[in-house]
Amino acid sequence: MKTGGVLWYNAGNKIKRGKVMRRAYYEASLEIFLQQDENLILGTLARNNEYTLEDLQRNSWLSEIRILKEQLKAFRTGHVIFEYTIPRIGERIDVVFLKSGLVFLLEFKVGTKSYAKADIAQVTDYALDLKNFHKASHNRVMVPLLVATEAVEQRHCCKELKPGIVDVLCCNKGNIAAAITMVLEKYNEIALEPASWIESSYMPTPTIIEAAQALYRNHSVTEIARNDASVVNLQQTAMAINKIIERSKREHSKAICFITGVPGAGKTLAGLNIANERHNFAEEEHAVFLSGNKPLVDVLREALIRDESKRKGISKKAAAEKVKPFIQLIHHFRDAELVNKEPPSEKVVIFDEAQRAWTQEKLAEFMKRKKGVADFSMSEPEFLINVMNRHQDWSVIICLIGGGQEINTGEAGLSAWFEALRIKFPEWQVYVSDKITDSEYTQGMPLTTVLSKLPCHIITDLHLAVSLRSFRSEKVAAFVKALLDVDIQRAQTLYKEVSENYPILLTRTLQTAKDWVRQEANGTERYGLTASSGARRLRNCGVWVQSKIDATHWFLDGKEDVRSSYALEETATEFDIQGLEVDWSIVAWDADLRFVKDHFEHFNFVGKCWQKVNKEEKQQYLKNTYRVLLTRARQGLIIFVPEGDEQDATRSKTYYDGIYDYLKKIGLKEL
């Protein structure tokens, strides 16, 4: 329900307060806009503004109103929209002008004398976002205009950046009408109903960084996630979890929930959403998002800190104090609870990538080496459940599980959680989805064995079945699985389906791969170079995995920073990129995972030569490494397989030709 401009919604059995996201601060027909007094328009903008109206913003709006009144009077019809919301990236388009079925997007830089690359990228992003995710814009021509009011006039050329999106037109305050007229002379579109366009459904697939920022600003998950019928609704998962939390509180019981899903299905987003909704000290149900993935924690924290600092005009240090309790490194939480014997302040904890929690042997070795604790007898899952079990009344653990995501020695997998529950905590209520029977979750064990003697509840909504990362194709994860399982026929079929909207290409030249991702990416779409941490013999090609990246710079910084992914100089490994993503990726494939005759063989480079990996567990880790690398791109990827060199025994052509031939057999197109 809605009262006084504030949205109230039911979360479990609680009524919560949240923001209403207005689609636009002002909208009117062109005729009305031209007739209205500028102060009346300004007043409407000010009333609908979410933030304190600063003089700079007020003066900018007045300039925009005056410029548009002068420029748009040349047109008889149209619709003017100020400050239109793009929820996924947390931005508002300065002005949208709907005219003759076309959508003109105007980004103003009042007082600016040049057309900056960053500003061109910004308005390009708006066009891409609407084209991809705004239903009423799918089949419309997007026309982005950068208006640097005091800049020198540029000669305009109406060409398409990609189908349905005109390349950015750079205008000053005096030639906006001329630019619009030029475009209108080229396109003849069916009329567009303004109200339908404004209220059209918006079905985004945000990056996890964008999602974290939007959730932290108190936007709901329904505003930033797709809601079409083909995708399992993230809100349903949140509702299921909220019901479990409320039941645990009501019955004074303890519960553990396992959220499963395909790579990119939104598990981390679901976890962040729960942490944000339940981040409430006052009601003694404080929630925290925990991850053992240090790059993920570092990147999300830094992204939230930068965003909070920029939006609220506070120092990064002050912003960091607010952000740190929301997202924490699981090892820091664990180490603090080793010393603290009291119940933690958190009643709800979300463990991201819980399958990567450490085995008893791994944790005992770490405790002895780093903490001086001898004979530590618990696995990480057992210890973490033990910590939450200190609460006398209720507590809830939410484990986010990715099938086939274990990539390092000492990672316990899902079975360790069930073993700890069965042996030490049989009173805990266990909630799983009906999809947990998949071998990638149970590691081949029968479900009856995995869940034996546990009070188990099957909740269908605890599984996220469709990838949100690859919004152009929802079968990328299935294709990658078939490829790595050497299910050739299925891989061939899926490749044909996937490649219609999501290019997956092959090359033997790294420079070709670099040229391709740079060409495909528009605006600030992020691209990067990735490889297995075991890809030690790609150094000759310029892929040096031994050099560790700084994930915050690689994932967050712009094209002007050589440490960013855009530079294509530093290589992210599976450890850096798991849980994160780019729009376009290069996957450099080394001889650590080779294709020989009809199967994959696994190798590790030690000293000066390759050594065969015989342990099944380590073979699985290597397979999962490539699963991670091949599912990190949102819009497309290119696989680089080097030619090899017969003069170098460690880079034999035979090693690489086997990989190349297998990928070609599946059907991958070569550049």
Side-chain angles (χ1 to χ4, degrees):
M1 57 184 173
K2 184 179 176 183
T3 57
V6 176
L7 179 70
W8 299 83
Y9 60 93
N10 200 338
N13 294 321
K14 298 170 62 177
I15 299 295
K16 287 199 169 187
R17 188 173 186 270
K19 292 182 182 177
V20 172
M21 177 176 280
R22 294 182 182 275
R23 282 295 181 93
Y25 285 3
Y26 170 91
E27 56 95 5
S29 69
L30 177 60
E31 182 182 10
I32 291 174
F33 170 74
L34 293 175
Q35 292 175 354
Q36 275 187 332
D37 182 81
E38 64 183 34
N39 288 315
L40 181 61
I41 298 171
L42 180 64
T44 304
L45 288 167
R47 281 195 306 274
N48 291 326
N49 182 27
E50 299 174 36
Y51 308 105
T52 303
L53 182 59
E54 306 288 346
D55 286 344
L56 181 62
Q57 180 63 77
R58 178 184 179 278
N59 293 336
S60 292
W61 278 337
L62 273 175
S63 294
E64 292 168 21
I65 293 166
R66 290 167 182 169
I67 291 169
L68 289 175
K69 277 180 172 287
E70 177 62 29
Q71 290 292 304
L72 298 184
K73 69 183 182 182
F75 307 103
R76 295 176 57 189
T77 59
H79 206 85
V80 179
I81 306 163
F82 274 77
E83 302 292 334
Y84 188 77
T85 300
I86 300 184
R88 185 181 76 94
I89 54 181
E91 300 285 352
R92 291 182 179 274
I93 305 172
D94 287 342
V95 177
V96 177
F97 180 47
L98 304 178
K99 172 66 177 171
S100 300
L102 277 68
V103 182
F104 294 88
L105 312 171
L106 288 75
E107 177 62 25
F108 278 85
K109 300 299 176 184
V110 176
T112 300
K113 298 181 179 180
S114 62
Y115 306 108
K117 288 183 179 180
D119 298 335
I120 292 172
Q122 180 182 4
V123 71
T124 301
D125 285 347
Y126 294 161
L128 289 166
D129 207 87
L130 289 175
K131 191 69 174 175
N132 287 330
F133 307 123
H134 186 253
K135 189 174 182 180
S137 297
H138 287 339
N139 299 315
R140 296 290 172 172
V141 176
M142 301 288 110
V143 189
L145 287 80
L146 172 61
V147 184
T149 60
E150 309 307 314
V152 175
E153 184 172 316
Q154 279 193 357
R155 182 175 179 272
H156 291 141
C157 177
C158 186
K159 61 179 182 179
E160 288 196 345
L161 181 68
K162 56 172 50 182
I165 301 178
V166 173
D167 204 355
V168 177
L169 299 172
C170 294
C171 306
N172 59 26
K173 63 185 178 183
N175 68 341
I176 299 171
I180 293 173
T181 299
M182 178 192 65
V183 176
L184 291 173
E185 289 174 351
K186 181 174 179 178
Y187 293 96
N188 183 20
E189 298 294 314
I190 299 172
L192 177 60
E193 171 58 41
S196 298
W197 188 89
I198 292 169
E199 297 302 326
S200 174
S201 58
Y202 182 81
M203 301 180 290
T205 54
T207 68
I208 193 59
I209 294 168
E210 292 165 342
Q213 290 172 332
L215 289 171
Y216 199 70
R217 298 184 198 120
N218 289 327
H219 294 318
S220 75
V221 72
T222 55
E223 292 171 332
I224 63 171
R226 291 167 57 181
N227 56 14
D228 51 306
S230 65
V231 179
V232 176
N233 197 325
L234 285 166
Q235 191 178 35
Q236 291 178 313
T237 300
M239 289 174 63
I241 293 293
N242 280 324
K243 287 180 181 178
I244 293 167
I245 292 172
E246 293 303 323
R247 177 180 176 180
S248 299
K249 290 172 67 175
R250 186 173 61 252
E251 298 179 357
H252 303 286
S253 62
K254 293 164 186 174
I256 184 166
C257 315
F258 294 89
I259 297 178
T260 54
V262 300
K267 296 180 293 295
T268 301
L269 173 57
L272 287 169
N273 183 49
I274 295 160
N276 190 58
E277 281 192 354
R278 298 284 175 170
H279 195 55
N280 194 340
F281 281 104
E283 298 184 28
E284 296 186 347
E285 62 167 49
H286 174 47
V288 63
F289 181 88
L290 301 174
S291 176
N293 184 339
K294 188 175 185 300
L296 177 68
V297 172
D298 289 346
V299 169
L300 290 183
R301 270 189 174 179
E302 179 64 17
L304 293 180
I305 289 167
R306 291 184 187 185
D307 189 56
E308 188 82 352
S309 174
K310 179 182 177 181
R311 287 189 305 108
K312 297 191 174 177
I314 60 178
S315 68
K316 287 186 68 177
K317 183 177 180 181
E321 291 301 315
K322 293 183 61 180
V323 168
K324 284 182 178 178
F326 179 56
I327 300 175
Q328 296 181 32
L329 194 63
I330 195 169
H331 306 315
H332 293 170
F333 177 86
R334 179 199 65 206
D335 294 348
E337 296 307 323
L338 276 170
V339 178
N340 177 34
K341 302 302 180 184
E342 297 298 316
S345 60
E346 297 84 3
K347 286 291 189 72
V348 179
V349 292
I350 299 99
F351 296 128
D352 192 33
E353 297 179 8
Q355 77 283 353
R356 298 186 65 187
W358 289 353
T359 61
Q360 186 274 325
E361 293 79 11
K362 172 83 171 179
L363 188 54
E365 185 273 332
F366 173 84
M367 289 296 182
K368 183 176 182 180
R369 177 168 48 88
K370 294 288 187 179
K371 305 295 180 181
V373 178
D375 302 323
F376 193 83
S377 60
M378 287 185 278
S379 66
E380 196 163 42
E382 181 182 340
F383 177 72
L384 294 171
I385 300 171
N386 181 65
V387 168
M388 296 305 293
N389 198 50
R390 295 173 187 169
H391 288 290
Q392 295 301 308
D393 49 357
W394 71 276
S395 63
V396 174
I397 296 172
I398 298 150
C399 293
L400 309 178
I401 304 289
Q405 297 288 292
E406 301 88 350
I407 57 174
N408 202 7
T409 303
E411 293 178 2
L414 186 56
S415 58
W417 290 92
F418 292 125
E419 183 180 359
L421 289 163
R422 188 165 49 251
I423 296 173
K424 297 292 182 67
F425 309 100
E427 73 282 3
W428 276 61
Q429 300 299 305
V430 180
Y431 295 85
V432 299
S433 82
D434 56 343
K435 301 299 183 184
I436 209 161
T437 55
D438 193 303
S439 62
E440 290 179 358
Y441 301 116
T442 64
Q443 297 175 324
M445 289 186 291
L447 186 63
T448 51
T449 302
V450 171
L451 300 177
S452 65
K453 300 180 181 178
L454 289 174
C456 188
H457 311 266
I458 305 296
I459 308 291
T460 303
D461 287 336
L462 295 182
H463 182 74
L464 300 168
V466 182
S467 176
L468 299 180
R469 176 180 299 121
S470 306
F471 65 87
R472 295 196 180 280
S473 175
E474 292 157 355
K475 296 184 177 180
V476 175
F479 164 71
V480 170
K481 184 179 188 302
L483 184 155
L484 294 173
D485 288 347
V486 197
D487 187 345
I488 294 175
Q489 187 173 355
R490 178 163 171 74
Q492 289 171 336
T493 301
L494 286 169
Y495 180 74
K496 289 177 182 177
E497 296 179 29
V498 165
S499 57
E500 290 180 3
N501 296 303
Y502 181 101
I504 302 176
L505 302 177
L506 179 64
T507 183
R508 307 301 297 266
T509 309
L510 183 58
Q511 189 58 51
T512 299
K514 291 182 177 182
D515 292 342
W516 183 77
V517 293
R518 286 175 175 141
Q519 179 182 334
E520 292 296 316
N522 294 293
T524 59
E525 289 177 346
R526 186 166 290 276
Y527 48 84
L529 175 60
T530 68
S532 157
S533 59
R536 300 301 182 92
R537 296 308 300 135
L538 295 180
R539 184 167 60 180
N540 181 271
C541 306
V543 180
W544 194 8
V545 295
Q546 292 96 322
S547 179
K548 182 70 174 170
I549 71 167
D550 183 318
T552 58
H553 292 301
W554 201 87
F555 283 100
L556 298 177
D557 290 348
K559 293 179 181 178
E560 73 286 348
D561 194 323
V562 297
R563 298 168 297 180
S564 78
S565 67
Y566 293 118
L568 297 176
E569 291 185 8
E570 297 187 344
T571 307
T573 70
E574 70 276 17
F575 300 115
D576 302 311
I577 205 168
Q578 188 176 43
L580 293 161
E581 59 217 344
V582 292
D583 288 291
W584 305 90
S585 77
I586 301 170
V587 178
W589 199 311
D590 201 4
D592 53 341
L593 186 64
R594 307 172 193 171
F595 197 81
V596 181
K597 293 183 180 179
D598 59 356
H599 64 283
F600 280 109
E601 292 189 354
H602 311 74
F603 290 83
N604 182 30
F605 194 79
V606 180
K608 62 180 182 179
C609 62
W610 291 104
Q611 293 184 359
K612 194 166 186 179
V613 175
N614 294 312
K615 286 188 176 180
E616 186 176 343
E617 180 186 39
K618 291 187 176 181
Q619 290 178 356
Q620 187 64 44
Y621 290 148
L622 185 52
K623 179 180 180 181
N624 289 344
T625 288
Y626 278 85
R627 189 195 313 276
V628 167
L629 295 174
L630 292 167
T631 55
R632 295 304 98 186
R634 290 161 52 80
Q635 300 200 50
L637 65 96
I638 185 166
I639 300 172
F640 161 58
V641 181
E643 293 279 3
D645 182 358
E646 287 305 325
Q647 303 304 312
D648 182 348
T650 66
R651 296 193 300 117
S652 170
K653 285 178 63 65
T654 305
Y655 302 161
Y656 300 104
D657 285 349
I659 302 163
Y660 168 81
D661 291 340
Y662 173 60
L663 296 177
K664 286 287 287 184
K665 185 175 183 179
I666 287 173
L668 268 67
K669 295 178 182 177
E670 184 178 4
L671 281 186

